[in-house]
Amino acid sequence: MSCVNDRFLAAEPKFRIRARYTDTTITVYQAYRPGIGLAAARDGRFPGEWKRDRMTWIKPSFLWMMYRCGWGTKEGQETVLAVEIDRAGFEWALRHACLSHYVSGVHTDRAAWKRELGRAPARVQWDPERDLHHNALPCRSLQLGLAGEAARRYADEWIVGIQDVTPLARQVHAAVRAGKPEEAGALLPEERAYPVAEDVLARLRA
């Protein structure tokens, strides 16, 4: 199920994590220049030039990644990766995350939010989900930023496998350009509502 599908729009909650997942793993997407992306897909881990001391953003939504990287056409984002990671690691990041911006009612005040943001190894941002034409939808897509300990754990402990899905991005984009939305939609990875403990999600709703 995806909020990209029109028949679910009315019932889909605004804040929900939708992802491709198994009992033990969840797939997230990133896009890199070929020097990093192709090496990562080949070796199943990020190369030495991948900086563990920088924040890295992972996205469970394939279509939001396509919006962000322009179907793999933007400079520095030509290689689209599907990174399969351990669910326990992903959920550790959620439990240790802070919203990327201040929200009244979620945080006591701006000072408290800034303190939490400074300590948190992960941060959450909710952006409008996108359809096949990159139009914004009412439901939101999770972006999870990993820094410090979270980035290191992601690169060195959580990754189960890395796949280059640039060919899939190009195939879906070609179907969209050809005016074949049903064909394009059938190619999309199946993303379902991801089960998250309510106390975790409640703290991260924007």
Side-chain angles (χ1 to χ4, degrees), residues 132-133 170-184:
L132 286 165
H133 300 282
R170 292 173 179 162
Q171 190 178 6
V172 177
H173 190 202
V176 172
R177 291 199 316 269
K180 300 177 179 179
E182 290 187 3
E183 179 181 322

Side-chain angles (χ1 to χ4, degrees), residues 191-203:
E191 293 170 3
R192 300 172 288 146
Y194 184 84
V196 180
E198 178 57 28
D199 64 312
V200 175
L201 198 57
R203 192 174 49 80

Side-chain angles (χ1 to χ4, degrees), residues 92-121:
W92 180 92
L94 290 178
R95 289 187 178 277
H96 290 81
C98 174
L99 281 172
S100 62
H101 62 283
Y102 168 73
V103 177
S104 177
V106 175
H107 307 106
T108 307
D109 52 39
R110 287 186 181 275
W113 164 71
K114 285 185 178 180
R115 287 193 298 271
E116 184 181 353
L117 188 66
R119 294 191 301 264

Side-chain angles (χ1 to χ4, degrees), residues 30-92:
Q30 296 190 290
Y32 290 97
R33 60 182 175 82
I36 290 179
L38 294 178
R42 181 191 66 225
D43 299 334
R45 58 178 299 164
F46 290 111
E49 60 188 299
W50 191 88
K51 304 299 184 184
R52 285 163 175 75
D53 57 351
R54 300 168 101 180
M55 178 164 288
T56 188
W57 289 87
I58 58 177
K59 299 97 175 167
S61 167
F62 179 81
L63 274 179
W64 201 93
M65 185 71 256
M66 296 304 98
Y67 162 72
R68 179 68 179 84
C69 71
W71 301 101
T73 63
K74 291 185 179 179
E75 184 177 359
Q77 301 185 62
E78 299 92 344
T79 305
V80 184
L81 300 178
V83 185
E84 191 177 13
I85 63 174
D86 180 58
R87 278 179 59 170
F90 179 75
E91 289 164 20
W92 180 92

Side-chain angles (χ1 to χ4, degrees), residues 1-13 16 18 61 63 129-133 135-140 181-193:
M1 183 178 72
S2 168
C3 76
V4 173
N5 196 320
D6 289 344
R7 69 179 181 275
F8 294 119
L9 279 175
E12 183 68 12
R16 171 182 277 176
R18 291 167 296 275
S61 167
L63 274 179
E129 181 60 281
R130 303 286 164 162
D131 66 13
L132 286 165
H133 300 282
N135 297 312
L137 296 173
C139 55
R140 296 277 170 154
E182 290 187 3
E183 179 181 322
L187 292 168
L188 296 176
E190 181 185 359
E191 293 170 3
R192 300 172 288 146

